[in-house]
Amino acid sequence: MLANAKISVIGAGQVGATTAVRIAEKELARQVVLVDIVEGLPQGKALDEMEASPIEGFDTEIVGTNDYKDTENSDIVVITSGLPRKPGMSRDDLLSVNVKIVKEVTEQVAKYSPNSIIIVVTNPLDAMVYTASKVSGFADNKVMGQAGCLDSTRFKRFIAWEAGVSVKSVEAMTLGGHGDDMVPLVSYSTIRGVPISQFFTKEQIDRLVDRTRNGGGEIVKLLKTGSAFYATSSAVVQMIDSIVRDKKDVLPCAVKTQGKYGLEKDLFVGLPVKLGLSGIEEIVELKLSEEELKALKVSADHVKELCNRVEELKLL
């Protein structure tokens, strides 16, 4: 385990603040630094969260600040800064404004914590991971995005509801970009090891896949003034837990493909990876069906279009 870890969370909105308290409650760090540009916001939320510590029983220190200097020598930095989606918006609609934000944040991360692992949460996710990688200059194993863990937990939840079983009996995974063309792997989705195709009709499976792809949008429509944050923060902490505790858990994360699955080597797309103390220790190559590989390629092509737009807008 990474002893006395220091983890910084950039952005004290719903995702950032919830992530900070989940890290603390699991005692995955000695200190969590919550950063935001709004004066008083991270300080107030950090104090509120710390006042819950005697009840929840954690000794992790949560510090709120507006100064990146307080993040110095972080082991892991989570970037949640950026505008959230509103009803009617796609993740891609946030591209230009959030690239600028993530660029500025990453510059500060690279300045104060050059040896850290970066986990990006800001949307449009895959393009933001590309931005963080290019701006930071960090090694490929040190920059990743949280998307697949969130999409996968949604898929698992929907499968469990449909089958009327415990979520603990369900395994499922999604790959590809964090968008409407993500790829829920039906062939690797099981209930106690039994493929879901033996439980559901094709129509049921198609409905589950569609709901998973639109899971974030469904919540945005309901909330009207924000986007998902409870499951999002849990998914981030799942990644952090595997890194800090050196679990070598295989999780779907947005990473540089390095040519795996026949994809262009410089793209950042959701793939299954082994996460440990050094970050991304291995990209795991699953045997996908021809249909799944085709869908993954389509999703990767969309990510490429977004990254090309970032370059065309000369935002970096």
Side-chain angles (χ1 to χ4, degrees), residues 241-313:
D241 184 55
S242 186
I243 294 169
V244 169
R245 299 187 188 279
D246 198 27
K247 284 185 171 181
K248 318 288 189 186
D249 201 356
V250 177
L251 300 170
C253 307
V255 299
K256 197 169 187 178
T257 68
Q258 301 174 16
K260 304 293 185 180
Y261 292 89
L263 302 173
E264 292 187 29
K265 64 180 182 179
D266 292 331
L267 285 179
F268 283 84
V269 179
L271 298 176
V273 298
K274 185 189 297 181
L275 291 183
L277 283 176
S278 61
I280 300 160
E281 300 193 352
E282 178 187 350
I283 295 177
V284 179
E285 289 202 79
L286 304 174
K287 186 176 181 180
L288 304 184
S289 68
E290 188 173 323
E291 183 180 353
E292 289 167 339
L293 278 172
K294 184 178 179 180
L296 183 58
K297 178 66 166 57
V298 169
S299 186
D301 286 344
H302 182 222
V303 171
K304 183 179 179 180
E305 290 175 10
L306 284 179
C307 293
N308 285 342
R309 281 175 58 195
V310 172
E311 295 295 338
E312 290 167 3
L313 291 170

Side-chain angles (χ1 to χ4, degrees), residues 11-315:
Q14 297 281 42
V15 174
T18 309
T19 297
V21 77
R22 289 198 196 282
I23 293 169
E25 288 178 347
K26 290 178 179 289
E27 294 193 314
L28 296 176
R30 166 184 53 82
Q31 184 183 72
V32 177
V33 181
L34 185 61
V35 185
D36 202 282
I37 60 172
V38 179
E39 292 186 12
L41 179 64
Q43 293 89 341
K45 289 192 175 183
L47 179 58
D48 190 16
E49 291 170 351
M50 285 303 297
E51 288 171 356
S53 62
I55 297 173
E56 299 301 332
F58 63 83
D59 288 311
T60 296
E61 180 187 17
I62 305 174
V63 176
T65 182
N66 306 117
D67 189 348
Y68 280 96
K69 181 73 168 61
D70 293 323
T71 70
E72 193 168 19
N73 296 322
S74 293
D75 297 291
I76 299 173
V77 179
V78 181
I79 301 177
T80 73
S81 303
L83 296 184
R85 277 199 291 172
K86 296 179 181 179
M89 292 178 69
S90 71
R91 294 181 180 91
D92 297 356
D93 292 334
L94 302 170
L95 184 67
S96 60
V97 63
N98 281 352
V99 164
K100 294 176 184 176
I101 293 171
V102 170
K103 176 179 182 292
E104 292 173 0
V105 169
T106 304
E107 288 171 345
Q108 296 298 316
V109 173
K111 176 181 178 181
Y112 288 108
S113 301
N115 298 313
S116 63
I117 292 171
I118 297 177
I119 300 176
V120 183
V121 185
T122 308
N123 280 319
L125 189 279
D126 307 279
M128 296 303 105
V129 183
Y130 169 80
T131 298
S133 174
K134 189 164 184 178
V135 173
S136 69
F138 285 9
D140 294 344
N141 64 304
K142 296 282 191 175
V143 184
M144 65 195 79
Q146 188 292 115
C149 291
L150 172 59
D151 298 328
S152 297
T153 194
R154 286 172 173 160
F155 196 24
K156 292 175 187 177
R157 177 64 274 179
F158 300 152
I159 289 170
W161 270 332
E162 188 75 17
V165 300
S166 167
V167 291
K168 296 176 183 177
S169 65
V170 179
E171 288 294 336
M173 183 182 292
T174 66
L175 302 183
H178 185 49
D180 298 340
D181 51 12
M182 69 181 71
V183 187
L185 296 182
V186 174
S187 63
Y188 284 91
S189 301
T190 63
I191 299 174
R192 284 292 178 222
V194 180
I196 61 171
S197 58
Q198 295 191 31
F199 290 86
F200 306 136
T201 65
K202 183 180 183 304
E203 290 72 23
Q204 286 176 296
I205 292 173
D206 288 345
R207 186 172 69 251
L208 290 168
V209 167
D210 186 64
R211 189 176 185 188
T212 300
R213 286 174 171 159
N214 295 287
E218 182 178 359
I219 291 174
V220 169
K221 288 178 183 177
L222 291 168
L223 293 178
K224 297 180 177 64
T225 57
S227 54
F229 58 93
Y230 288 125
T232 306
S233 62
S234 289
V236 177
V237 175
Q238 183 182 34
M239 294 169 63
I240 292 172
D241 184 55
S242 186
I243 294 169
V244 169
R245 299 187 188 279
D246 198 27
K247 284 185 171 181
K248 318 288 189 186
D249 201 356
V250 177
L251 300 170
C253 307
V255 299
K256 197 169 187 178
T257 68
Q258 301 174 16
K260 304 293 185 180
Y261 292 89
L263 302 173
E264 292 187 29
K265 64 180 182 179
D266 292 331
L267 285 179
F268 283 84
V269 179
L271 298 176
V273 298
K274 185 189 297 181
L275 291 183
L277 283 176
S278 61
I280 300 160
E281 300 193 352
E282 178 187 350
I283 295 177
V284 179
E285 289 202 79
L286 304 174
K287 186 176 181 180
L288 304 184
S289 68
E290 188 173 323
E291 183 180 353
E292 289 167 339
L293 278 172
K294 184 178 179 180
L296 183 58
K297 178 66 166 57
V298 169
S299 186
D301 286 344
H302 182 222
V303 171
K304 183 179 179 180
E305 290 175 10
L306 284 179
C307 293
N308 285 342
R309 281 175 58 195
V310 172
E311 295 295 338
E312 290 167 3
L313 291 170
K314 301 187 186 304
L315 297 171

